[in-house]
Amino acid sequence: MEQPAVAPAGRPDWDAWLLELARWAARRATCPRRRVGAVIARDRRVLATGYNGSLPGQPHCDEAGCLVDAEGHCRRTVHAELNALLQAARFGTPCEGAAVYLTDAPCPDCARALAQAGIAEVVVDRPYGDGAGIAVLEAAGVAVRRRPAPWLPLLGLVGGAGAGKDTVARWLAERWRYTPVALADPMRPFLRQLFPDHPRLRPLYQGLGDWARAQDPDAFVQAAARRVARGGPWVVTDIRFPNEADWLEAAGGALIGVDAPEALRRVRVRARDGEDGLAGWVCFVNRKSPISP
């Protein structure tokens, strides 16, 4: 029988505590696409920890960008659960019969490594991908438990330029393991490749985004829908138009309004985008719950 997420007196149970350690390990991760943490424990004693990062002495994704293969996976990093297994092996710590606590469900390759190492149980904080890794574990006889999710799977941030949406998204990522995604993400690699030394790319994003919406108002919505269809939880950082808000709510998400005093917004935008930044970014969505970072 599973224990409750929090004991009656407010003291975390062992699962919650070990998963919190995995979340802390994930803060050391260096791939911005998804920061993952892992803790291997036996009889409530931590044996090893891991997070996704590059090989020692090699550049990190945070510094040099991700090496993305044809399937959309980053190949620069070693995954968190594999790093934890390798750390245990390096220091002669056997993992037979141990449990692994993961911020994210494993990929199929890491799931096979966990099963081969003799891991008896995997406790997962949030899903990943299409669940193929979980299927590998279950087929190998490894027990899998999923903690009840304390969050909505999809959030959308609404607010004007300089309101603090990125700050809220970072907090959600650090505290609740949300993965930030922007509707404008498909344009960014293209423009960075065209203008690698441009000091202010945001106005270019806005101009290209306006042109793309004129061709198809739902172009960005369709791209975002494909990305957030698996895994999660997700926070969309740039909901601006009614059709974008309609899509997010129809997908079961919630809109959160982000605001800040106009004087502070002007200071932020002027430093980031120049004098024309406030005029160039207008939000047309008003239905949301307010928050002021």
Side-chain angles (χ1 to χ4, degrees):
M1 181 173 151
E2 290 191 9
Q3 297 173 313
V6 178
R11 183 185 183 194
D13 66 29
W14 286 104
D15 278 357
W17 181 71
L18 289 163
L19 279 173
E20 190 64 28
L21 293 183
R23 295 186 194 108
W24 272 97
R27 298 181 68 173
R28 287 279 302 165
T30 60
C31 182
R33 290 166 62 86
R34 186 171 288 252
R35 301 184 191 274
V36 181
V39 171
I40 302 176
R42 184 192 294 110
D43 298 327
R44 303 172 181 176
R45 182 172 64 88
V46 174
L47 304 179
T49 63
Y51 53 86
N52 54 323
S54 298
L55 295 175
Q58 297 297 308
H60 294 292
C61 297
D62 284 341
E63 303 164 345
C66 297
L67 290 177
V68 181
D69 62 19
E71 297 180 352
H73 302 300
C74 179
R75 295 302 182 187
R76 189 183 294 280
T77 62
V78 180
H79 287 189
E81 46 272 76
L82 189 55
N83 264 328
L85 288 174
L86 293 171
Q87 183 191 72
R90 183 177 182 182
F91 293 100
T93 304
C95 295
E96 185 79 26
V100 176
Y101 292 80
L102 298 174
T103 60
D104 300 76
C107 70
D109 288 342
C110 288
R112 282 186 279 270
L114 293 171
Q116 186 70 5
I119 295 298
E121 183 180 41
V122 173
V123 183
V124 176
D125 192 21
R126 67 177 183 173
Y128 170 73
D130 58 4
I134 296 295
V136 168
L137 291 171
E138 292 176 337
V142 179
V144 178
R145 287 193 290 116
R146 302 167 182 83
R147 295 290 289 184
W151 25 253
L152 287 170
L154 182 62
L155 298 176
L157 304 184
V158 179
K165 297 182 296 297
D166 288 343
T167 301
V168 173
R170 284 193 296 270
W171 182 85
L172 287 167
E174 292 177 4
R175 181 63 184 86
W176 293 111
R177 309 293 302 142
Y178 276 83
T179 297
V181 57
L183 295 173
D185 280 349
M187 299 186 299
R188 288 175 175 166
F190 170 71
L191 287 175
R192 284 174 182 155
Q193 186 174 10
L194 283 179
F195 306 103
D197 300 319
H198 198 288
R200 291 192 173 102
L201 285 178
R202 190 176 293 260
L204 299 182
Y205 296 151
Q206 293 169 192
L208 182 57
D210 291 342
W211 176 86
R213 285 186 178 93
Q215 310 308 306
D216 181 356
D218 289 326
F220 292 116
V221 166
Q222 293 166 0
R226 289 191 293 271
R227 182 168 180 186
V228 306
R230 299 184 297 179
W234 303 92
V235 53
V236 183
T237 62
D238 56 348
I239 298 292
R240 289 180 60 194
F241 293 91
N243 66 314
E244 298 166 356
D246 290 342
W247 156 71
L248 188 130
E249 291 183 324
L255 297 172
I256 298 177
V258 183
D259 203 359
E262 185 171 348
L264 177 58
R265 291 177 53 216
R266 288 186 179 279
V267 169
R268 289 172 174 171
V269 176
R270 190 177 293 114
R272 186 186 66 196
D273 301 330
E275 295 294 330
D276 297 331
L278 278 173
W281 206 101
V282 180
C283 180
F284 299 98
V285 176
N286 293 317
R287 56 184 192 279
K288 68 270 184 180
S289 301
I291 184 172
S292 298

